[in-house]
Amino acid sequence: MDHISAELLSAAVAVGGGLGISGPVRAWIRHRTRVHLERERSARTAARAAGLARLARSRGTVRIDEQDQDGRRVVELHGPSRPDEEAA
């Protein structure tokens, strides 16, 4: 009978240790996921800003209809005007 209780004790210690480690591991995974998502969002924002700057330099008017997590918006970009257009 003493042999069975020692095995149960060692199994209980192993399970308890596993549960004790799983909390910090889950927290670390959540943290790394959050960091990765922020990095991806930042890269997407930088690419979007570069694309909008390139569109703003183009002649004419560009209308962008976009939708994301924050909602839907319409952006209208007017390119640089020509000197003869300013006089008119």
Side-chain angles (χ1 to χ4, degrees), residues 29-72:
I29 290 171
R30 277 195 310 263
H31 169 72
R32 294 299 302 162
T33 302
R34 190 169 40 248
V35 167
H36 178 71
L37 290 174
E38 283 298 320
R39 188 177 297 144
E40 183 180 333
R41 185 177 295 140
S42 178
R44 235 184 285 136
T45 301
R48 180 179 172 274
L52 288 175
R54 190 175 62 246
L55 285 173
R57 287 191 305 262
S58 66
R59 299 276 182 213
T61 301
V62 177
R63 184 177 177 162
I64 302 169
D65 186 2
E66 63 182 13
Q67 183 172 355
D68 60 7
Q69 305 164 335
D70 299 330
R72 182 173 182 249

Side-chain angles (χ1 to χ4, degrees), residues 6-30:
E7 287 177 357
L8 287 175
L9 179 63
S10 65
V13 168
V15 169
L19 291 176
I21 291 174
S22 68
V25 169
R26 282 194 315 250
W28 180 78
I29 290 171
R30 277 195 310 263

